[in-house]
Amino acid sequence: ITFCIAPGADPEQPSLRRLTNPVSGQTCTNHGDELVEGIEKMQVLFGEDTDANLDGTNGDGTANRYVSFGASTLDMDRVVSVRIFLLARSLNDNLTTESSPYFFVEQEPAPDDKRLRKVFTTTITLRNKTG
């Protein structure tokens, strides 16, 4: 399953989309199913138990740091949890009197619109990876 942010049924609105069992040439952007309208950004971080041995054993089962998948120092054998961030925005503009800055994983510049935004975060412990 692949998840992505791409235009939905309304091309003016970003959406969280999902593509299951893609075949050659299919992308989440063009062929995925729209799940939630108004999702502007998504970030997935992996919780690594840096106390664990290189084979993933003898750690305390608690993430000591959260890093993105592309981090060169991430050891997937030590990953014990996943943290997912979603940035949702209002479908309509001009709901606020001025643009509202927000914090999404790292500080973002103030948007050039007047939409409402909210960050949703969840941390999921991976089964059979903790003590």
Side-chain angles (χ1 to χ4, degrees):
I1 297 176
T2 302
F3 292 91
C4 68
I5 306 298
D10 177 354
E12 299 298 316
Q13 298 296 336
S15 296
L16 176 62
R17 300 176 65 91
R18 173 190 66 194
L19 179 61
T20 305
N21 297 325
V23 296
S24 180
Q26 285 187 336
T27 65
C28 183
T29 304
N30 298 331
H31 297 91
D33 299 318
E34 183 176 357
L35 299 177
V36 183
E37 187 177 32
I39 302 299
E40 194 170 60
K41 293 184 181 185
M42 176 176 61
Q43 176 75 43
V44 179
L45 299 178
F46 294 87
E48 184 178 9
D49 181 0
T50 58
D51 300 328
N53 294 330
L54 292 176
D55 63 0
T57 61
N58 297 326
D60 61 5
T62 303
N64 301 94
R65 69 182 191 141
Y66 283 88
V67 294
S68 62
F69 182 73
S72 61
T73 59
L74 176 64
D75 182 350
M76 290 302 288
D77 289 332
R78 295 180 182 183
V79 171
V80 295
S81 59
V82 177
R83 186 168 285 167
I84 301 169
F85 300 85
L86 293 175
L87 175 64
R89 76 173 196 190
S90 61
L91 299 181
N92 298 317
D93 199 352
N94 296 318
L95 295 179
T96 62
T97 56
E98 54 189 55
S99 62
S100 301
Y102 59 90
F103 183 84
F104 181 78
V105 183
E106 52 189 49
Q107 187 64 42
E108 299 281 338
D112 60 354
D113 59 25
K114 295 182 176 111
R115 296 177 189 274
L116 296 174
R117 287 178 172 78
K118 180 159 177 66
V119 177
F120 295 90
T121 306
T122 190
T123 302
I124 303 158
T125 300
L126 300 178
R127 202 166 133 188
N128 300 329
K129 293 295 280 185
T130 59

